[in-house]
Amino acid sequence: MYPLIRVDKRIPDGSIWQTRWGYLLPAVAGWTRVFQPSGTRWSNPLGGWTAKTPGVSIFHPDRPFAIACHGPDDDKRFYIDIAHRVRAFGEILEFFDLFLDVMIDASGVVTEKDEHQLIFLPSEQRLFVRAARDEVRGLIAAGDPLFDPRGPFYAVPLDALSLPPSTLTAEMR
């Protein structure tokens, strides 16, 4: 009912920076949704981690960002990757992370990180990244439903809530 899909986060040189498995949920308004139960392994070249809480990540091929919403029900937070080239093929969904990230903590405070890494991008791509960041901040300020943890983008069907974390591995060496 909810097929497993591997999510690969690539960096601009094409290498995989992060990978994980999750359950493909029904799309909402063109956004692909992936549910990661508690215990989901997130791997990266530094080792990775195991999620202590469930989360939903959403992706859209025509939007310059990918959004992860995670945390306990009363303490949800967002991690937004400025990204491009989102595509799904077979059991893999991949996107290219463009370094700059926007975060929203559970109290609604918005912060950013890794802007210093934009030096590694061509100047036209730096402009794209900053415009995408400005778009994200504008949507957040306007109260867009993409950033409502209780809204339809992050609703997990009841029968999916009991799914176990995937036993498939995607360890990186």
Side-chain angles (χ1 to χ4, degrees):
M1 179 178 284
Y2 304 104
L4 279 168
I5 189 166
R6 192 177 84 205
V7 177
D8 290 340
K9 176 180 180 174
R10 294 183 178 275
I11 55 176
D13 71 6
S15 62
I16 296 175
W17 177 249
Q18 182 186 90
T19 191
R20 65 193 183 271
W21 287 88
Y23 294 95
L24 191 60
L25 299 177
V28 170
W31 287 84
T32 298
R33 303 182 317 131
V34 179
F35 171 58
Q36 298 98 199
S38 297
T40 295
R41 178 80 184 143
W42 295 55
S43 300
N44 69 23
L46 303 176
W49 65 94
T50 300
K52 294 180 179 153
T53 59
V56 174
S57 299
I58 65 172
F59 308 88
H60 196 292
D62 299 328
R63 300 301 289 268
F65 49 89
I67 305 170
C69 179
H70 58 93
D73 285 340
D74 59 346
D75 195 29
K76 297 281 187 197
R77 55 203 69 215
F78 289 91
Y79 193 97
I80 302 110
D81 289 295
I82 303 302
H84 69 151
R85 298 190 347 219
V86 173
R87 67 186 190 119
F89 51 99
E91 63 181 26
I92 298 173
L93 182 146
E94 73 174 14
F95 68 99
F96 282 75
D97 178 59
L98 296 173
F99 300 130
L100 185 59
D101 304 310
V102 178
M103 290 89 54
I104 309 170
D105 72 14
S107 68
V109 173
V110 180
T111 57
E112 299 176 14
K113 73 177 193 122
D114 296 338
E115 187 165 7
H116 66 281
Q117 291 187 32
L118 298 185
I119 190 79
F120 299 112
L121 299 176
S123 59
E124 66 277 357
Q125 206 163 39
R126 288 194 297 264
L127 291 172
F128 173 86
V129 169
R130 289 185 175 113
R133 181 258 331 265
D134 293 346
E135 177 184 351
V136 166
R137 282 190 160 267
L139 292 167
I140 293 166
D144 192 281
L146 285 172
F147 304 101
D148 177 359
R150 291 167 188 75
F153 293 101
Y154 307 102
V156 178
L158 289 176
D159 59 338
L161 288 173
S162 62
L163 291 169
S166 171
T167 58
L168 298 173
T169 60
E171 294 302 317
M172 303 176 68
R173 303 228 189 286

